[in-house]
Amino acid sequence: MDQVWTAELRTEEGKGASRRLRLAGKVPAIVYGGEQEAKSVALKSNQIERALRINVDLYNTVLTLEGEGVAEQCIIKDLQRHPATGFISHIDFQRASDKSAIVKRVPLKFVGKEVAPGVKIGGIMSFMQSSVEVSCLTKDLPTAIEIDVSNLEAGQNLRLSELEIPAGVKLTALTHGNTDYDQAVVGISKVKR
């Protein structure tokens, strides 16, 4: 899904300039990474709030920022919200490049919970992780990783090394070369009789 956001270059920087932007209904942001210098931009607050409310997959989607002096392919690297109101106060964008890998947290979506044999006989399914950190090129970045738990038995766990990961994507926890990092993701408790 292609997302195009309208952005404008910021000439003023600093706390006061950012405060004036927010009062004008805009969100200050920065675009960094790649071979280029960092670029300060501003986006319309209502456009961003609406887009993120409708589609949470945007956190792991390559976005296009367009406007006068701005033409960037990027991903949302970090997003700060006001502690009281919850409105977005600043966004960090990382340039999308197919030359170097990015590191990003990706949510896990569990399917088949209701039909798992361990649950049917009374076991309780526990989720130890809701997201995992991956390393990949931006073109390979998944919006979520789907995990089929429909075959889990009571007393069984599913570990990071057992997950089906899309091609071109690596789990950063498994790149350490130590089995201590191969943590359980989901499991079903044994049934007490």
Side-chain angles (χ1 to χ4, degrees), residues 26-39:
K26 296 182 180 178
V27 175
I30 188 161
V31 181
Y32 60 85
E35 310 281 320
Q36 304 169 33
E37 290 288 316
K39 195 181 283 188

Side-chain angles (χ1 to χ4, degrees), residues 34 94 97-102 136-138:
Q94 182 178 356
S97 166
D98 285 334
K99 295 178 184 166
S100 60
I102 58 167
C136 62
L137 297 175
T138 53

Side-chain angles (χ1 to χ4, degrees), residues 68-89:
E68 190 174 323
V70 182
E72 301 280 354
Q73 295 276 323
C74 53
I75 59 168
I76 298 172
K77 189 66 176 175
D78 192 26
L79 187 135
Q80 292 91 42
R81 291 185 180 271
H82 188 277
T85 63
F87 289 118
I88 297 171
S89 60

